Amino acid sequence: FPPAANRLGSALPGHIRNPEDDEEDSGPGLISLDMGAFGSGSLSDPLRHAVGMRTAQDACKMRMWNSFATIFQNTIFHGEQDPEIKRLRHGGTLEERLAKGKQLKDDGNAQLKAATAASVSQPTPGGDKDAEQEKDKREVDNIKSKVDQLESFVLQKEHELKALRKQLAQTRAELEAKLALNTKPIKTPAEKALDDGVSKDLLEKAISNYEKAAGLLRYVECIRPDWRNDDGSYKGIEDEHLRVDDSALHQGDETSKVDAKELVTSCYLNIALAYQKLGDFEKMKMPCDEVLNHINPESVKALYRRAQARTLAPAALGEDLEKAIEDLQTAAHLAPQDKDVRSLLTKLRTQKKKQEATERSTFSGLFNRGEVVKDIGKKPNYPDEATLESTPEKWDLNDPRVQAMLDIHPGPNGFVQ
């Protein structure tokens, strides 16, 4: 940066700006400011410029961070907010991380399943409310009792821990969905489709669990010692303090590497499915990109779901349709027997043909009007004197001789009446 006096001088009223000063000040994080009218401006003007300069400077320090997908950025906070995840990342074996990741994935699967069930089942308006409430209470009591029994079995039968945890997670998710439904007013199916708080809450919990599971094996962390403030907040994120770790996907024996990649891929694709149910198709595409760009470029399911995301968005364009077809063609080449891929590919090809036919019928008239003019700049073939003397007595504008004479004698004075 130039001396402070030089920079300040350009902001004083009446100071003549030197273009060379602007060139010296040009650099990362600096913007061209016209402060000649600073004295007559408002206080918000210099503040706005200061914020712009700071934002530009920060952007230069966060280029790598800003290139990360949101689901990968979130892993930086999992290790800070969950001590067990932090311990497993730095001190746990790969087997322990895989086991914890599978448990978190199972929890996410249970919540995803419960969210789907909650969005499909609709309460029936009317009827005997007391009987309905009593029935709901019995169902809740039964589910609570089932939860208690399952928790007891988990403590007594350690060898069945994995299976029981999975069943427990599913039952708890059902209980949450049932309790949440009982506390909400009865809505029509249309109202529930527009504002399904139960499904949304469960889907967001499922996404969080999937992110944590994948984040045990592929994550980014901040290695700045004083990153966390005394009040629990965080300082800014800068690329020089970031460390990316995906060693679990590339190190160790072949079986462990395959298991790690399959777990991360499965979690990312389930995140895509959850975003599809939330109707956020831009975010649905993001985890598919992560799989194809960083884990497995030949994942058929990732190609299929990305094609869905490209075409389901309300603002999808013809370009999105073409890219979706390209994804499905690649998937069909990798898995020729996949019926879902073939079905969607056929559907999109038919849709593209209809669009092209519509465009041809709409715009074809614009390109078939008028005649092509040739030999521009070439001297016209004007009639000779003999032709001029044999002009007709009655003028016909369709007669080529008349048209030729009009070119030579424009206006009424050149015509013989």
Side-chain angles (χ1 to χ4, degrees), residues 315-378:
L317 304 174
E319 180 182 358
D320 297 311
L321 178 61
E322 292 179 1
K323 289 181 178 179
I325 291 175
E326 290 176 5
D327 281 343
L328 292 171
Q329 287 173 335
T330 304
H333 177 74
L334 294 169
Q337 305 303 321
D338 194 307
K339 294 182 180 179
D340 292 336
V341 171
R342 289 288 183 184
S343 175
L344 184 57
L345 179 57
T346 301
K347 177 183 176 182
L348 295 187
R349 281 174 171 169
T350 303
Q351 182 179 337
K352 183 181 178 182
K353 288 180 180 179
K354 289 181 179 179
Q355 286 185 357
E356 291 173 345
T358 302
E359 291 173 357
R360 282 196 299 269
S361 63
T362 302
F363 300 110
S364 60
L366 297 178
F367 304 102
N368 294 330
R369 298 173 184 171
E371 298 179 355
V372 177
V373 179
K374 299 181 180 179
D375 299 328
I376 296 178
K378 193 175 180 181

Side-chain angles (χ1 to χ4, degrees), residues 51-206:
V51 171
M53 292 176 65
R54 178 58 185 270
T55 302
Q57 290 171 343
D58 289 344
C60 292
K61 299 177 182 178
M62 301 170 62
R63 285 179 179 144
M64 181 174 72
W65 170 258
N66 291 332
S67 70
F68 293 153
T70 304
I71 57 173
F72 190 57
Q73 288 180 339
N74 291 343
T75 61
I76 199 172
F77 301 107
H78 296 157
E80 295 292 328
Q81 298 169 357
D82 192 323
E84 185 179 6
I85 288 180
K86 190 170 186 176
R87 179 189 66 80
L88 288 171
R89 283 179 178 177
H90 296 282
T93 64
L94 180 57
E95 288 72 19
E96 290 175 329
R97 290 157 68 186
L98 282 170
K100 180 63 176 179
K102 290 176 182 178
Q103 177 193 330
L104 289 168
K105 180 192 168 188
D106 288 341
D107 292 344
N109 288 346
Q111 290 157 342
L112 184 62
K113 183 178 179 180
T116 304
S119 62
V120 172
S121 62
Q122 302 293 339
T124 305
D128 188 347
K129 290 187 177 180
D130 293 337
E132 186 71 22
Q133 290 178 353
E134 184 63 28
K135 179 182 176 182
D136 289 340
K137 186 177 182 302
R138 288 197 302 271
E139 291 180 357
V140 169
D141 290 340
N142 290 336
I143 296 175
K144 283 183 176 179
S145 175
K146 192 175 181 181
V147 169
D148 293 338
Q149 293 175 8
L150 288 171
E151 287 179 338
S152 173
F153 291 153
V154 166
L155 295 175
Q156 295 174 6
K157 300 182 179 182
E158 290 294 332
H159 64 281
E160 298 178 359
L161 181 61
K162 181 178 178 181
L164 289 173
R165 279 190 183 278
K166 184 175 180 180
Q167 189 176 0
L168 174 62
Q170 292 174 340
T171 309
R172 279 178 171 164
E174 292 174 3
L175 177 60
E176 286 184 28
K178 192 64 181 177
L179 289 172
L181 281 173
N182 289 342
T183 58
K184 288 185 173 289
I186 295 176
K187 296 183 178 181
T188 64
E191 290 173 334
K192 188 169 179 59
L194 290 174
D195 183 23
D196 191 351
V198 179
S199 297
K200 182 178 179 181
D201 182 61
L202 288 170
L203 289 170
E204 289 175 347
K205 288 181 179 178

